[in-house]
Amino acid sequence: MSTATVADPVSSDVVTELPPLSGATKMGALLESYPGAQRALFAKYHIGGCRSCGFQPGETLAEVCARNENIPVEEAVAFIQESYQSDASLQITPEALVKLREANPNTKLLDVRSREEHEAVAIPGSHLVSQELIQVIFDQWNKTDPVVIYDHQGNSAMDAAAYFLGHGFVETKCLKGGIDAYSLEVDPSIPRYRLEIED
């Protein structure tokens, strides 16, 4: 059985220990503990991205590995935990975002939600991402300035952050928990909302 110990992305002296992960771990529990695991498994092993390579919440990791070319369970566990650490290093908490913006006025805040969501409720000073804005960003923005990307609840901002990092914006982070967490933890004047179809 393996546990992951991860330094908090804001304060390096705070450590989070995740529940144990082994071949006997059921996929539903695994995804609760390691939210990015499905993306990681699909990227490396093509598991979980479509109907033919999907899995059920009640299946164990060992069962999923066995029917996907007999992937060694220890290898899958190590990769899931490594991916989690990578994801954690890209996140910033709402409270840390406030401190960052106070300390560095060049911090850029990007919203990757829909135009309707952005127009209804947004973090003050943020920009709605569009193709036109991306072109301006790539042409004119300083790649060493902090960029923080947010969505509704932290589900899609990670992919956007990886995209910006891949284009040389080395100080890119995503807001942990999205605007929903920002409203709960920092600014209750920002209305919370629910989507019928989550992002």
Side-chain angles (χ1 to χ4, degrees):
M1 219 174 247
S2 177
T3 60
T5 303
V6 181
D8 183 271
V10 176
S11 171
S12 59
D13 57 352
V14 177
V15 173
T16 302
E17 187 169 304
L18 295 173
L21 179 58
S22 73
T25 305
K26 295 199 172 177
M27 297 304 290
L30 187 153
L31 293 180
E32 283 182 24
S33 301
Y34 298 83
Q38 186 161 346
R39 182 176 62 241
L41 288 169
F42 183 74
K44 184 169 178 87
Y45 303 114
H46 197 80
I47 293 174
C50 56
R51 187 178 301 250
S52 64
C53 65
F55 49 78
Q56 297 299 315
E59 284 185 276
T60 66
L61 178 59
E63 290 169 340
V64 171
C65 287
R67 67 180 173 76
N68 283 277
E69 300 181 12
N70 248 353
I71 297 163
V73 173
E74 298 77 16
E75 176 187 312
V77 166
F79 184 70
I80 289 166
Q81 292 179 336
E82 178 186 314
S83 297
Y84 178 86
Q85 292 174 345
S86 177
D87 283 358
S89 72
L90 292 181
Q91 295 182 330
I92 184 170
T93 65
E95 186 178 324
L97 171 59
V98 171
K99 291 177 181 174
L100 175 64
R101 293 179 85 186
E102 289 171 354
N104 189 336
N106 291 325
T107 300
K108 307 293 193 297
L109 192 55
L110 298 177
D111 182 353
V112 294
R113 298 172 303 147
S114 70
R115 179 170 299 282
E116 292 77 17
E117 288 174 278
H118 181 78
E119 288 174 355
V121 57
I123 299 174
S126 64
H127 305 275
L128 177 65
V129 172
S130 64
Q131 286 301 325
E132 294 78 16
L133 179 60
I134 288 174
Q135 195 58 54
V136 170
I137 292 169
F138 287 177
D139 290 344
Q140 300 176 19
W141 285 19
N142 185 334
K143 291 189 173 184
T144 60
D145 284 342
V147 175
V148 177
I149 299 172
Y150 75 92
D151 57 17
H152 182 207
Q153 294 182 316
N155 299 327
S156 58
M158 189 74 72
D159 292 335
Y163 178 78
F164 276 84
L165 283 164
H167 284 83
F169 290 85
V170 294
E171 295 298 324
T172 301
K173 300 279 186 188
C174 69
L175 181 60
K176 186 175 184 179
I179 193 173
D180 196 54
Y182 191 88
S183 173
L184 277 170
E185 298 172 24
V186 169
D187 187 355
S189 72
I190 294 177
R192 297 179 67 211
Y193 64 94
R194 292 181 62 184
L195 292 175
E196 290 301 315
I197 301 174
E198 281 298 324
D199 58 355

